[in-house]
Amino acid sequence: METRMMDTSSLEKTPLLDRTATGAPSARLLVAGVLLILLLLLGLTASPPSKATYHSLFLSLGDNATAARHLLALTRSPHVAGTPANADAASYVRSALSAASFPAHVASYDVLLSYPVLRSLALSPSPPPSSVPATAFHLVQEIYPGVPFADAAAEALPAFHAYARSGSAAGPAVYANYGRVEDFANLRAMGVNVTGAVVLARYGKIYRGEIVRNAAAVGAAAAVVYTDSKDYSGDRWFPDGPGMPPSGVQAGSTYRGIGDPTTPGWPSSAGCERLSAAEVATSGMTPGIPSLPVSARDGEAIQRSIGGQAAPHDWQGGEGAPVYRLGPGPGFLNLTYIGNETLATIENVCAMIEGEDEPDRYVILGNHRDAWTFGAVDPNSGTAALLEIAQRLGKLRKRGWRPRRTIVFCNWDAEEYGLIGSTEWVEENKEMLASRAIAYLNVDCAAGGPGFHASTTPQLDEIIKQATKKVQDPDNFSQMVYDSWVNSNDSKLIGRLGGRGTDFAAFVQHVGVPSVDLFFGGGYPVYHSLYDDFVWMQKFGDPLFHRQVAVASIWGLVALRLADDEFLPFNYISYALELQGSTKTLEDKVLGMPVTFTPLYRSIEELEKAATNIDKEKKALELEVGLVGRRKDLLKVRELNDRLMMAERAFTDREGLFHREWYKHLIYGPSLHDDYGSNSFPGIDDAIEKAKSLNTSDSWRFVQHEVWRVARVVTQASLVLHGKFT
């Protein structure tokens, strides 16, 4: 419901001395005096609306037509990073933010991007010399009948793996399931030789870059990664259903690092130091063998050419698929990929609403813009939601709202290549962020289907729950998002931000900024393909655009609470309790080994005490402020909020994870063998896995060392919350 504001415009336009009036001057002066007194009385008695009133007004301003309009504009053509089409999309975002009365600017970086020049893949029924000619795959995603964007679709880049190794390779085909470390271990146990083979693996469980890396590690000559219809097509495929069509291909990056490959750890600013192409190639962050992504149709054709023993039951395809066999051969693959790696300009678009009381404290909302093709779900449903939030906040400003703290909008570029735009910006502004950032709030795939999902750092759990209790469920208007969320089948209601799946990574894992990632729908079948377009969204992802409005409402409400609440709504008690559970999980993995988790348990107990104490301090200060007036306690409020803000930074260590120094956070980080996966205590977990394989006294001592490292950062977080020297 829109709040009614007092309208003084008619009073402002009333002429106090009307020269056309017939009354005597004294009478006119009397009228003027009365009006002036009324104005003064109104000014003295009418208090401005509360922050909560503005927050309710924000929720009432949601507009699915606005979200749809923004999405249509952003998805008229494929817009890969570094292309003119993506520069046009950046201009649109900048204009939309400026139209909401938030002056926007562009932060540009020159970074190493990768584009396809030549791709070919041919299948022979047997190794050369073969009397049967090889079959060449077309490697084309078919444009479906009646597509309104046919001309634009024809301009899309061929599906490829960014930063794939250029070269040619040939060898017998070997099927490796999802290409995980354990899958290759199973192949070895089943007597399948992968050396010199071209591995066929399916998408679905781990990051594609890890698939290629794992294949190279066991001696494969090349890798072909396909979208298995069992995982992506469902009962009906697009345009008749939501599934991936048989010719659909999932493009994507294979770069295992974060940020510009030529500037690891520092920003790609003008004239900066850079690694050479040769140094990038030998860094281990880009693949050592050529690779190509292919469709379900092409993957199945290769499957039919593979002989040998049948694959295990859980490696098999869906109904109607051929029997999957392991190989090697007799099917023989000849693969060529030539790429062009070049420095290109990317553009982050940023805008700001300056805080009235604490302009040097920042709540940052972020979303990336670049897409492998049209990007209707990933990422531009999030971009549309970001712009809708900006439009709503612009309306609040016209009604008198001013945030207590500064709100920053960031629209990132080149996320798809390796979180490049956000990482370069974070690396450039690292010290400012480390001392001033309250939180980072991310949304990419705002709407890919039903079902709300959230991942956070634990002190933000409660504020997410509170926000979902105030936003209507877009798929059931009789309840709130929270109701359907808690009744979902998710085994864990709120996830953690240990993976490097999107732009929160630099904020959490490099600097230690509390963060959030929100979305509706989870994985969706046409991910990173030509079919992630406006029509798919309109038919299946979010037909009425209510999900995008709901995400914008939750996202914006969390931002408003963080920007406006006098006391930051952080809860570190739940953080400590979660760390206790995560420690028990790791302890169970090393029973009987010479490792003790006592130091970590002790430090977590101290964290819980510190969290309980600061919670009591906050409640006492809230009561004190209410009794004696807030002016004399501004410094106390600020100091307590700073402790809440800075505690997350204390979980970082300047040395970072072992052999992964860029990742500074010792509580949450990516899995060693899957960049999408999330681990609690990643350094300890890495050390345990290595110790299990080596089983030496030194390897177990290293596990103990990692336990001590984590215990020390948890102790530091406790000291920050206490806010006193020892």
Side-chain angles (χ1 to χ4, degrees):
M1 184 176 71
E2 184 166 331
T3 305
R4 296 184 66 86
M5 308 295 294
M6 186 173 297
D7 184 4
T8 61
S9 58
S10 59
L11 292 176
E12 293 168 358
K13 294 174 183 176
T14 301
L16 298 182
L17 288 173
D18 187 351
R19 285 184 167 81
T20 64
T22 57
S26 58
R28 293 198 298 271
L29 288 172
L30 180 61
V31 171
V34 170
L35 289 173
L36 182 59
I37 291 170
L38 286 173
L39 281 170
L40 290 172
L41 288 173
L42 286 171
L44 290 171
T45 59
S47 59
S50 68
K51 297 291 189 184
T53 300
Y54 282 121
H55 297 181
S56 297
L57 178 57
F58 171 83
L59 293 177
S60 74
L61 294 173
D63 186 353
N64 57 338
T66 298
R69 176 172 55 81
H70 285 314
L71 186 64
L72 180 61
L74 290 161
T75 58
R76 290 192 180 278
S77 62
H79 46 287
V80 175
T83 63
N86 200 39
D88 290 342
S91 295
Y92 178 85
V93 170
R94 186 174 184 179
S95 296
L97 290 171
S98 298
S101 300
F102 308 137
H105 70 278
V106 170
S108 298
Y109 302 94
D110 291 332
V111 301
L112 188 72
L113 299 183
S114 167
Y115 303 99
V117 175
L118 176 65
R119 308 167 310 138
S120 70
L121 182 66
L123 172 66
S124 301
S126 60
S130 174
S131 58
V132 180
T135 301
F137 294 103
H138 295 297
L139 305 179
V140 172
Q141 300 187 77
E142 296 171 358
I143 298 173
Y144 58 90
V147 58
F149 314 109
D151 292 342
E155 297 173 0
L157 286 179
F160 72 111
H161 282 156
Y163 305 110
R165 176 64 60 91
S166 290
S168 297
V174 169
Y175 173 51
N177 197 24
Y178 292 106
R180 299 167 294 187
V181 169
E182 58 264 38
D183 293 327
F184 285 108
N186 285 335
L187 283 175
R188 184 171 59 252
M190 290 183 282
V192 178
N193 183 15
V194 182
T195 303
V198 175
V199 162
L200 177 71
R202 52 183 175 176
Y203 284 112
K205 299 297 183 182
I206 62 173
Y207 174 58
R208 70 188 70 78
E210 295 294 346
I211 297 174
V212 181
R213 177 200 187 200
N214 294 340
V218 296
V224 174
V225 189
Y226 77 104
T227 47
D228 195 306
S229 58
K230 176 183 178 180
D231 298 317
Y232 289 90
S233 292
D235 297 331
R236 294 180 303 144
W237 61 72
F238 189 63
D240 299 317
M244 178 80 91
S247 70
V249 181
Q250 183 190 131
S253 181
T254 53
Y255 176 50
R256 294 179 50 252
I258 287 184
D260 178 12
T262 70
T263 61
W266 65 90
S268 296
S269 52
C272 70
E273 176 189 9
R274 292 186 185 276
L275 299 185
S276 67
E279 289 172 315
V280 170
T282 58
S283 68
M285 293 294 102
T286 55
I289 58 176
S291 66
L292 279 176
V294 301
S295 66
R297 179 187 295 159
D298 293 346
E300 185 173 306
I302 298 171
Q303 288 281 7
R304 293 182 186 279
S305 78
I306 299 176
Q309 60 185 300
H313 176 73
D314 58 343
W315 289 34
Q316 295 294 330
E319 186 177 349
V323 174
Y324 290 0
R325 298 186 178 276
L326 301 178
F332 193 88
L333 288 168
N334 197 313
L335 179 153
T336 296
Y337 172 77
I338 304 297
N340 174 29
E341 294 184 359
T342 183
L343 285 180
T345 300
I346 63 169
E347 298 177 322
N348 294 334
V349 181
C350 304
M352 186 180 294
I353 312 173
E354 188 170 13
E356 192 169 40
D357 300 314
E358 299 181 74
D360 60 339
R361 292 294 180 264
Y362 304 118
V363 177
I364 305 167
L365 290 80
N367 157 269
H368 79 92
R369 178 186 68 256
D370 65 296
W372 291 118
T373 60
F374 294 100
V377 177
D378 181 16
N380 296 130
S381 61
T383 314
L386 183 73
L387 297 180
E388 207 229 320
I389 290 173
Q391 192 162 325
R392 292 198 219 177
L393 295 184
K395 292 177 180 177
L396 290 192
R397 278 179 51 127
K398 290 178 180 177
R399 289 164 168 79
W401 166 79
R402 295 293 183 272
R404 177 186 181 92
R405 305 177 185 95
T406 296
I407 295 176
V408 184
F409 297 96
C410 293
N411 184 233
W412 311 117
D413 203 348
E415 185 273 352
E416 297 291 7
Y417 279 83
L419 322 184
I420 293 179
S422 59
T423 300
E424 298 311 308
W425 190 83
V426 168
E427 289 175 345
E428 187 165 45
N429 297 284
K430 182 167 60 176
E431 299 307 322
M432 286 269 287
L433 292 167
S435 61
R436 299 183 179 188
I438 299 293
Y440 173 70
L441 315 176
N442 189 81
V443 172
D444 283 351
C445 305
F452 178 71
H453 301 269
S455 295
T456 70
T457 45
Q459 72 275 67
L460 291 166
D461 287 359
E462 189 57 34
I463 189 176
I464 298 296
K465 293 176 184 178
Q466 291 171 6
T468 59
K469 290 177 181 179
K470 295 186 176 182
V471 176
Q472 200 170 43
D473 186 336
D475 297 299
N476 183 351
F477 290 165
S478 67
Q479 61 184 15
M480 297 296 164
V481 170
Y482 180 80
D483 301 318
S484 57
W485 185 27
V486 296
N487 291 320
S488 67
N489 294 322
D490 284 354
S491 58
K492 193 171 184 181
L493 191 64
I494 299 179
R496 295 297 169 228
L497 299 176
R500 49 143 282 179
T502 189
D503 292 303
F504 57 74
F507 289 90
V508 177
Q509 297 155 13
H510 194 61
V511 180
V513 175
S515 297
V516 169
D517 189 48
L518 310 173
F519 56 95
F520 270 91
Y524 65 103
V526 296
Y527 175 69
H528 281 193
S529 76
L530 188 67
Y531 311 106
D532 182 9
D533 65 10
F534 189 83
V535 175
W536 190 92
M537 175 66 77
Q538 206 170 29
K539 294 182 73 170
F540 305 109
D542 192 9
L544 297 175
F545 297 92
H546 288 156
R547 292 168 187 154
Q548 286 177 69
V549 171
V551 166
S553 294
I554 297 167
W555 192 7
L557 186 56
V558 171
L560 284 169
R561 289 284 311 280
L562 293 170
D564 282 342
D565 282 14
E566 186 157 30
F567 295 91
L568 291 178
F570 287 179
N571 182 348
Y572 281 94
I573 297 174
S574 61
Y575 210 135
L577 295 175
E578 176 152 329
L579 295 189
Q580 287 176 349
S582 299
T583 303
K584 181 65 169 64
T585 299
L586 284 182
E587 189 177 38
D588 290 343
K589 293 176 70 172
V590 297
L591 290 176
M593 295 296 109
V595 177
T596 176
F597 283 84
T598 300
L600 184 51
Y601 278 122
R602 281 204 209 102
S603 66
I604 294 171
E605 287 175 12
E606 289 303 313
L607 179 66
E608 187 176 5
K609 290 178 185 176
T612 301
N613 287 339
I614 198 170
D615 196 48
K616 290 178 180 177
E617 280 185 65
K618 183 163 67 170
K619 289 175 181 175
L621 192 53
E622 285 175 325
L623 182 61
E624 181 183 331
V625 166
L627 290 174
V628 301
R630 63 190 287 262
R631 184 169 298 277
K632 65 178 290 186
D633 296 291
L634 283 177
L635 289 179
K636 285 186 179 180
V637 173
R638 168 94 164 184
E639 189 273 337
L640 185 141
N641 281 336
D642 280 354
R643 283 188 273 150
L644 291 169
M645 176 183 74
M646 295 301 293
E648 189 72 38
R649 314 286 196 271
F651 292 128
T652 64
D653 183 278
R654 69 178 61 187
E655 294 181 4
L657 300 181
F658 185 63
H659 287 328
R660 295 191 286 164
E661 293 79 6
W662 187 90
Y663 296 99
K664 307 296 184 186
H665 207 289
L666 300 192
I667 308 299
Y668 297 113
S671 167
L672 183 61
H673 297 294
D674 177 17
D675 283 355
Y676 284 162
S678 175
N679 274 354
S680 297
F681 308 131
I684 301 175
D685 194 66
D686 291 349
I688 289 173
E689 293 304 311
K690 187 171 183 179
K692 282 184 173 181
S693 65
L694 297 176
N695 199 25
T696 63
S697 58
D698 283 346
S699 65
W700 287 111
R701 272 198 298 272
F702 187 72
V703 174
Q704 189 66 67
H705 168 67
E706 288 296 316
V707 172
W708 275 110
R709 286 186 73 201
V710 175
R712 286 192 284 270
V713 299
V714 174
T715 298
Q716 287 299 315
S718 302
L719 293 173
V720 171
L721 288 177
H722 278 305
K724 297 176 182 177
F725 288 121
T726 54

mmCIF file of all heavy atoms in Angstrom, residues 182-199:
data_model
loop_
_atom_site.group_PDB
_atom_site.id
_atom_site.type_symbol
_atom_site.label_atom_id
_atom_site.label_comp_id
_atom_site.label_asym_id
_atom_site.label_seq_id
_atom_site.Cartn_x
_atom_site.Cartn_y
_atom_site.Cartn_z
ATOM 1 N N GLU A 182 37.081 -39.009 -9.116
ATOM 2 C CA GLU A 182 36.658 -40.372 -8.795
ATOM 3 C C GLU A 182 36.222 -41.155 -10.033
ATOM 4 O O GLU A 182 36.347 -42.388 -10.079
ATOM 5 C CB GLU A 182 35.538 -40.362 -7.745
ATOM 6 C CG GLU A 182 34.288 -39.577 -8.135
ATOM 7 C CD GLU A 182 34.288 -38.161 -7.592
ATOM 8 O OE1 GLU A 182 35.363 -37.534 -7.578
ATOM 9 O OE2 GLU A 182 33.210 -37.684 -7.184
ATOM 10 N N ASP A 183 35.710 -40.462 -11.054
ATOM 11 C CA ASP A 183 35.341 -41.161 -12.286
ATOM 12 C C ASP A 183 36.574 -41.710 -12.996
ATOM 13 O O ASP A 183 36.577 -42.848 -13.489
ATOM 14 C CB ASP A 183 34.566 -40.218 -13.215
ATOM 15 C CG ASP A 183 33.209 -39.840 -12.659
ATOM 16 O OD1 ASP A 183 32.593 -40.679 -11.968
ATOM 17 O OD2 ASP A 183 32.758 -38.701 -12.901
ATOM 18 N N PHE A 184 37.627 -40.909 -13.051
ATOM 19 C CA PHE A 184 38.858 -41.399 -13.683
ATOM 20 C C PHE A 184 39.504 -42.494 -12.836
ATOM 21 O O PHE A 184 40.113 -43.425 -13.374
ATOM 22 C CB PHE A 184 39.820 -40.235 -13.930
ATOM 23 C CG PHE A 184 39.416 -39.375 -15.097
ATOM 24 C CD1 PHE A 184 38.900 -38.107 -14.897
ATOM 25 C CD2 PHE A 184 39.538 -39.843 -16.395
ATOM 26 C CE1 PHE A 184 38.523 -37.316 -15.973
ATOM 27 C CE2 PHE A 184 39.160 -39.057 -17.485
ATOM 28 C CZ PHE A 184 38.653 -37.791 -17.270
ATOM 29 N N ALA A 185 39.361 -42.397 -11.515
ATOM 30 C CA ALA A 185 39.870 -43.463 -10.653
ATOM 31 C C ALA A 185 39.112 -44.765 -10.920
ATOM 32 O O ALA A 185 39.707 -45.856 -10.942
ATOM 33 C CB ALA A 185 39.745 -43.055 -9.182
ATOM 34 N N ASN A 186 37.816 -44.667 -11.137
ATOM 35 C CA ASN A 186 37.020 -45.857 -11.445
ATOM 36 C C ASN A 186 37.408 -46.456 -12.793
ATOM 37 O O ASN A 186 37.448 -47.682 -12.954
ATOM 38 C CB ASN A 186 35.526 -45.518 -11.433
ATOM 39 C CG ASN A 186 34.979 -45.337 -10.032
ATOM 40 O OD1 ASN A 186 35.523 -45.889 -9.079
ATOM 41 N ND2 ASN A 186 33.918 -44.565 -9.891
ATOM 42 N N LEU A 187 37.674 -45.598 -13.773
ATOM 43 C CA LEU A 187 38.139 -46.110 -15.069
ATOM 44 C C LEU A 187 39.440 -46.895 -14.897
ATOM 45 O O LEU A 187 39.602 -47.987 -15.480
ATOM 46 C CB LEU A 187 38.351 -44.949 -16.049
ATOM 47 C CG LEU A 187 37.107 -44.339 -16.689
ATOM 48 C CD1 LEU A 187 37.486 -43.117 -17.527
ATOM 49 C CD2 LEU A 187 36.383 -45.360 -17.562
ATOM 50 N N ARG A 188 40.343 -46.346 -14.110
ATOM 51 C CA ARG A 188 41.614 -47.031 -13.879
ATOM 52 C C ARG A 188 41.373 -48.375 -13.183
ATOM 53 O O ARG A 188 41.979 -49.397 -13.557
ATOM 54 C CB ARG A 188 42.530 -46.148 -13.037
ATOM 55 C CG ARG A 188 43.922 -46.728 -12.829
ATOM 56 C CD ARG A 188 44.872 -45.719 -12.182
ATOM 57 N NE ARG A 188 44.391 -45.253 -10.894
ATOM 58 C CZ ARG A 188 43.904 -44.036 -10.663
ATOM 59 N NH1 ARG A 188 43.817 -43.147 -11.650
ATOM 60 N NH2 ARG A 188 43.495 -43.682 -9.460
ATOM 61 N N ALA A 189 40.464 -48.385 -12.204
ATOM 62 C CA ALA A 189 40.167 -49.629 -11.485
ATOM 63 C C ALA A 189 39.521 -50.665 -12.395
ATOM 64 O O ALA A 189 39.691 -51.877 -12.185
ATOM 65 C CB ALA A 189 39.252 -49.325 -10.298
ATOM 66 N N MET A 190 38.782 -50.196 -13.418
ATOM 67 C CA MET A 190 38.137 -51.114 -14.359
ATOM 68 C C MET A 190 39.047 -51.490 -15.521
ATOM 69 O O MET A 190 38.615 -52.143 -16.469
ATOM 70 C CB MET A 190 36.829 -50.494 -14.870
ATOM 71 C CG MET A 190 35.743 -50.416 -13.802
ATOM 72 S SD MET A 190 34.148 -49.764 -14.403
ATOM 73 C CE MET A 190 34.496 -48.007 -14.459
ATOM 74 N N GLY A 191 40.300 -51.037 -15.465
ATOM 75 C CA GLY A 191 41.276 -51.434 -16.469
ATOM 76 C C GLY A 191 41.208 -50.665 -17.767
ATOM 77 O O GLY A 191 41.733 -51.119 -18.790
ATOM 78 N N VAL A 192 40.598 -49.462 -17.752
ATOM 79 C CA VAL A 192 40.467 -48.665 -18.969
ATOM 80 C C VAL A 192 41.632 -47.689 -19.056
ATOM 81 O O VAL A 192 41.839 -46.873 -18.146
ATOM 82 C CB VAL A 192 39.129 -47.903 -18.997
ATOM 83 C CG1 VAL A 192 39.034 -47.035 -20.253
ATOM 84 C CG2 VAL A 192 37.964 -48.875 -18.933
ATOM 85 N N ASN A 193 42.393 -47.765 -20.132
ATOM 86 C CA ASN A 193 43.549 -46.901 -20.338
ATOM 87 C C ASN A 193 43.112 -45.611 -21.032
ATOM 88 O O ASN A 193 42.581 -45.634 -22.136
ATOM 89 C CB ASN A 193 44.597 -47.627 -21.182
ATOM 90 C CG ASN A 193 45.851 -46.788 -21.372
ATOM 91 O OD1 ASN A 193 46.065 -45.792 -20.677
ATOM 92 N ND2 ASN A 193 46.677 -47.178 -22.324
ATOM 93 N N VAL A 194 43.343 -44.476 -20.400
ATOM 94 C CA VAL A 194 42.918 -43.177 -20.932
ATOM 95 C C VAL A 194 44.067 -42.472 -21.656
ATOM 96 O O VAL A 194 43.846 -41.503 -22.386
ATOM 97 C CB VAL A 194 42.360 -42.297 -19.791
ATOM 98 C CG1 VAL A 194 41.855 -40.960 -20.310
ATOM 99 C CG2 VAL A 194 41.227 -43.005 -19.067
ATOM 100 N N THR A 195 45.270 -42.944 -21.500
ATOM 101 C CA THR A 195 46.426 -42.282 -22.097
ATOM 102 C C THR A 195 46.277 -42.183 -23.615
ATOM 103 O O THR A 195 46.035 -43.187 -24.295
ATOM 104 C CB THR A 195 47.717 -43.048 -21.766
ATOM 105 O OG1 THR A 195 47.845 -43.158 -20.351
ATOM 106 C CG2 THR A 195 48.932 -42.326 -22.340
ATOM 107 N N GLY A 196 46.408 -40.969 -24.137
ATOM 108 C CA GLY A 196 46.306 -40.737 -25.572
ATOM 109 C C GLY A 196 44.894 -40.750 -26.121
ATOM 110 O O GLY A 196 44.691 -40.559 -27.327
ATOM 111 N N ALA A 197 43.897 -40.949 -25.262
ATOM 112 C CA ALA A 197 42.504 -41.008 -25.714
ATOM 113 C C ALA A 197 41.893 -39.612 -25.781
ATOM 114 O O ALA A 197 42.425 -38.644 -25.226
ATOM 115 C CB ALA A 197 41.682 -41.882 -24.775
ATOM 116 N N VAL A 198 40.759 -39.511 -26.469
ATOM 117 C CA VAL A 198 39.930 -38.314 -26.413
ATOM 118 C C VAL A 198 38.767 -38.642 -25.486
ATOM 119 O O VAL A 198 37.946 -39.514 -25.784
ATOM 120 C CB VAL A 198 39.426 -37.897 -27.800
ATOM 121 C CG1 VAL A 198 38.470 -36.705 -27.682
ATOM 122 C CG2 VAL A 198 40.596 -37.541 -28.710
ATOM 123 N N VAL A 199 38.730 -37.971 -24.350
ATOM 124 C CA VAL A 199 37.739 -38.265 -23.317
ATOM 125 C C VAL A 199 36.401 -37.656 -23.686
ATOM 126 O O VAL A 199 36.320 -36.489 -24.113
ATOM 127 C CB VAL A 199 38.228 -37.732 -21.954
ATOM 128 C CG1 VAL A 199 37.071 -37.618 -20.973
ATOM 129 C CG2 VAL A 199 39.310 -38.634 -21.396
#
